[in-house]
Amino acid sequence: MAADIDMKIALIDSVLETNSLDRVLEYLHQSMERDIIISDYKGRVLANTGSNEEYLEGIFFDIILDWQNDPYFYDESNKILCYKVGNHMQDGFVFVKGVSVETCAETLELLEHARLALRIYFNKIASIETIENNYIHNFFTDIFLRSINIKEIIKQNYSLLHYDLNALYYVSMFYPYKKLSELEKQALLTYSKDWLKQHNLDIHCTFWENKYLVFICPTHYNSKTLDIDFSWDKHKRNNALYYDDVRRKFKFDAGMSMGDKYLIDQLHRSYQEALFTLHLAELIGKNNQVNHICNLGIFTIMFKKNSVEELKTFCRKFLDPLIINDKENNSMFLDTLRVYFDNNFNVQDTSEKLFLHINTLRYRLKRIEELTNTNLQNIGDRANLYIALKVHDVLLRLGLID
């Protein structure tokens, strides 16, 4: 018993003195004579006795994502024992390979000896990461929303974030289509930060509104002239590479968008453009890819040249008669028009999607024309209604219009 206590104290001292898990890993490996992987709850490998992989293989990471709050999990088919270091999310995991059913109890006892030392280490790195994440998030909030004293904010944060008042930046936004758990969000954020470091990209990111992963990206310089490179080729390649790697790693569908380049004190405009682009792309069937504000045709002009109030005025001009009638009579004219456009003006397909008799659909379309004073056979009227409806739906998704 005394020897066990002495070992626990020695392991704790090693973590406090060296700020590493080297002694803990050595103890576990020598005691068990098996390969060990120690990872945080986000799948990042902190110490192991095998390969030099920075992230867990899929089989291990899937165990974390499916964790049921048990103290340990034994995968008999693969002979892997997964041990949860503590009760909190940030406490991390230890994976032991080659464990038989008969040796599970003995292995768990040895892991208990290292438990407190591991918890101290995990809590320390979690505290540091929380401070860093909050710092970045607060800076993004100042830039995107407050937009006050930007120059002073940049000066105060230059030593840590290195933003330049005279340089151009743009905002990228990554949007998983499924709702992520807190564990998945933190895993995605950490993976993204490490990915940016591995690719030597001086880019900061944070989770925004609990659903978007937002990046502030600097412009590139031409290596020969040292002038700003205004082309988007390199940026698009980087965004596309990140997008593909993340979807391959986490296996969920997502959209990604890019706003235009601005000086840092106007970067809220790039944020808004990326947000509009993200949602419009999903509405018009360009989801599951990287989209740029400048590649949206007429919508590029709409979203870049108009304020939110101007966009709302445009939408109301064409759609208010339908919206008011729908509210008063439950006529569903707006939904009818939406499905009609989404089915390329095909009456037969639209009636089938809406489960309507084709004559009922024709009557609705006629009433839509009367209420909006338009002709759906006229290309100009079609264009105005289509643009107004898609802009309206983007603003509606973002809570910017009733």
Side-chain angles (χ1 to χ4, degrees):
M1 180 67 71
D4 290 344
I5 294 174
D6 288 344
M7 176 53 67
K8 291 179 182 178
I9 293 173
L11 294 176
I12 292 169
D13 285 343
S14 73
V15 167
L16 294 173
E17 291 171 5
T18 67
N19 195 32
S20 77
L21 294 173
D22 292 347
R23 180 70 184 91
V24 175
L25 184 67
E26 180 185 15
Y27 163 74
L28 293 175
H29 184 53
Q30 289 180 351
S31 303
M32 301 175 186
E33 296 183 344
R34 293 181 176 86
D35 282 334
I36 312 286
I37 302 174
I38 303 175
S39 87
D40 64 13
Y41 68 98
K42 295 165 286 191
R44 184 172 49 184
V45 175
L46 304 176
N48 67 38
T49 57
S51 66
N52 294 320
E53 293 292 330
E54 296 186 14
Y55 279 85
L56 291 174
E57 297 175 24
I59 184 174
F60 300 109
F61 190 53
D62 288 343
I63 291 174
I64 293 179
L65 292 179
D66 296 333
W67 197 260
Q68 300 297 318
N69 295 321
D70 298 315
Y72 69 92
F73 170 79
Y74 179 62
D75 181 352
E76 187 173 358
S77 61
N78 292 295
K79 296 189 181 303
I80 297 171
L81 178 66
C82 178
Y83 175 78
K84 181 76 163 64
V85 172
N87 298 322
H88 300 292
M89 185 172 68
Q90 73 267 18
D91 286 330
F93 297 82
V94 180
F95 295 89
V96 186
K97 300 179 181 179
V99 179
S100 64
V101 175
E102 294 75 19
T103 57
C104 264
E106 178 188 350
T107 305
L108 287 168
E109 185 177 346
L110 292 171
L111 287 166
E112 279 294 318
H113 292 166
R115 182 172 182 266
L116 189 53
L118 287 165
R119 288 198 66 186
I120 290 171
Y121 183 83
F122 283 124
N123 286 335
K124 185 174 182 179
I125 62 173
S127 297
I128 294 171
E129 287 183 351
T130 298
I131 292 171
E132 291 177 349
N133 290 341
N134 289 340
Y135 181 83
I136 294 292
H137 190 273
N138 290 338
F139 177 79
F140 276 43
T141 301
D142 287 334
I143 295 296
F144 294 155
L145 299 184
R146 298 190 180 127
S147 298
I148 54 174
N149 301 322
I150 297 297
K151 293 183 179 179
E152 189 60 34
I153 292 170
I154 297 299
K155 289 177 182 177
Q156 291 173 0
N157 292 277
Y158 183 79
S159 61
L160 295 173
L161 301 179
H162 306 293
Y163 287 109
D164 186 345
L165 282 167
N166 299 312
L168 295 175
Y169 298 85
Y170 68 94
V171 171
S172 274
M173 193 172 288
F174 182 85
Y175 178 43
Y177 292 143
K178 61 169 277 190
K179 185 176 181 180
L180 302 185
S181 66
E182 189 59 34
L183 189 152
E184 288 173 315
K185 282 187 286 188
Q186 292 304 316
L188 175 59
L189 179 61
T190 297
Y191 178 83
S192 300
K193 289 181 175 180
D194 289 345
W195 189 95
L196 294 168
K197 289 178 183 176
Q198 291 168 7
H199 290 79
N200 298 314
L201 297 173
D202 188 17
I203 294 173
H204 297 103
C205 61
T206 188
F207 253 99
W208 195 260
E209 296 184 355
N210 243 357
K211 53 186 175 182
Y212 308 110
L213 190 57
V214 178
F215 304 80
I216 293 181
C217 311
T219 51
H220 295 113
Y221 287 85
N222 186 298
S223 58
K224 295 180 179 179
T225 65
L226 298 184
D227 291 330
I228 291 175
D229 183 0
F230 285 96
S231 73
W232 283 100
D233 292 345
K234 191 180 295 185
H235 302 281
K236 289 177 180 177
R237 284 197 301 271
N238 287 338
N239 278 265
L241 181 61
Y242 165 82
Y243 178 77
D244 290 340
D245 285 351
V246 168
R247 292 185 66 205
R248 192 179 301 113
K249 167 72 176 177
F250 291 92
K251 300 180 178 66
F252 51 62
D253 290 333
M256 190 163 185
S257 62
M258 303 164 62
D260 212 344
K261 301 171 186 174
Y262 295 93
L263 293 174
I264 196 79
D265 61 350
Q266 293 293 309
L267 200 59
H268 60 281
R269 295 174 61 186
S270 187
Y271 160 73
Q272 190 176 72
E273 290 170 1
L275 195 59
F276 288 158
T277 301
L278 196 63
H279 286 280
L280 178 69
E282 192 175 356
L283 288 170
I284 62 177
K286 291 187 176 181
N287 47 342
N288 286 319
Q289 64 184 56
V290 181
N291 291 285
H292 188 276
I293 182 63
C294 292
N295 294 331
L296 299 178
I298 187 63
F299 293 106
T300 296
I301 299 172
M302 292 298 298
F303 288 126
K304 282 184 64 66
K305 301 299 182 181
N306 295 282
S307 67
V308 170
E309 287 304 315
E310 289 169 329
L311 292 171
K312 288 161 70 173
T313 299
F314 175 79
C315 293
R316 286 170 178 154
K317 176 183 176 181
F318 291 98
L319 302 179
D320 258 7
L322 304 181
I323 294 171
I324 293 169
N325 200 284
D326 283 352
K327 288 180 179 178
E328 293 177 350
N329 304 306
N330 194 28
S331 51
M332 299 185 66
F333 287 150
L334 201 66
D335 284 341
T336 299
L337 188 63
R338 186 180 290 114
V339 177
Y340 182 58
F341 283 144
D342 289 345
N343 283 276
N344 297 313
F345 318 109
N346 186 299
V347 176
Q348 185 65 45
D349 290 347
T350 304
S351 65
E352 291 175 2
K353 285 285 175 62
L354 292 171
F355 300 101
L356 291 176
H357 190 279
I358 197 163
N359 289 336
T360 304
L361 174 61
R362 288 196 175 104
Y363 168 76
R364 284 193 186 179
L365 294 175
K366 185 65 176 176
R367 287 289 291 137
I368 289 170
E369 290 179 324
E370 292 171 354
L371 288 167
T372 58
N373 194 27
T374 58
N375 179 357
L376 288 174
Q377 303 309 309
N378 180 281
I379 188 64
D381 288 345
R382 276 187 177 183
N384 284 329
L385 285 170
Y386 176 77
I387 294 166
L389 184 57
K390 293 307 177 186
V391 172
H392 170 272
D393 286 351
V394 169
L395 298 180
L396 191 64
R397 276 173 163 241
L398 299 173
L400 299 174
I401 196 170
D402 297 330

